[in-house]
Amino acid sequence: MDLTSKQRAQLRGMANALAPIVHIGKDGIGENLIKQTDDALEARELIKCRVLENSMLTAREAADALAQATRSEVVQVIGTRFVLYRQTHRKDKKDPIVLVKDRR
C-alpha cells in the first residue's frame, strides 16, 4: 500500500500521542523483534518504535528493515524514533484506522 502525502500527514498526527512500544537495541533486528513488531501492527495498525543508543542501526535503517520484514509502511522518521503503519484485515478490530482519500 502506497500512502499519499495526506494519509501520511493524518497518520503522523495520530502518532504524536503514541509512546514507543518497540525498542531496537544492540542485538538489532532479529526474529523475535520482527514477531513483536508484527503482533503490535496487527493489534494497533500504527506504532511508534525507538532505536536505543547502543544500537548499531540508525532509525532510518531500522525503519526500512522492519517495514520490509513486516510488510508495513514507514510513516515518519525523526531522530531515534520512527512510525510504522499497516492496515489490519481483522474483522474483529474495534477501531480500525480510516485513512482520508485523495480526490483526484
Side-chain angles (χ1 to χ4, degrees):
M1 164 182 212
D2 289 325
L3 298 171
T4 66
S5 59
K6 284 186 180 182
Q7 291 170 333
R8 284 186 193 283
Q10 176 188 359
L11 292 169
R12 281 193 307 265
M14 295 171 74
N16 283 339
L18 297 178
I21 59 171
V22 174
H23 302 276
I24 299 139
K26 66 179 179 173
D27 294 334
I29 298 173
E31 280 185 44
N32 288 336
L33 188 80
I34 291 169
K35 171 106 173 73
Q36 176 189 5
T37 304
D38 198 51
D39 290 347
L41 284 164
E42 191 62 29
R44 296 179 177 86
E45 293 182 285
L46 185 70
I47 62 169
K48 189 178 283 185
C49 306
R50 180 174 164 225
V51 177
L52 303 176
E53 290 179 21
N54 63 352
S55 177
M56 300 300 280
L57 298 171
T58 66
R60 173 50 69 182
E61 292 167 338
D64 291 342
L66 270 180
Q68 183 177 5
T70 60
R71 298 170 322 282
S72 60
E73 294 282 332
V74 178
V75 174
Q76 182 178 37
V77 179
I78 295 180
T80 61
R81 297 168 193 246
F82 60 93
V83 177
L84 296 177
Y85 169 76
R86 184 179 71 201
Q87 184 177 17
T88 187
H89 298 291
R90 287 177 37 195
K91 296 190 189 304
D92 64 337
K93 174 103 169 91
K94 289 182 182 177
D95 298 315
I97 295 173
V98 178
L99 295 176
V100 294
K101 296 193 187 229
D102 281 345
R103 294 183 183 184
R104 294 181 190 207

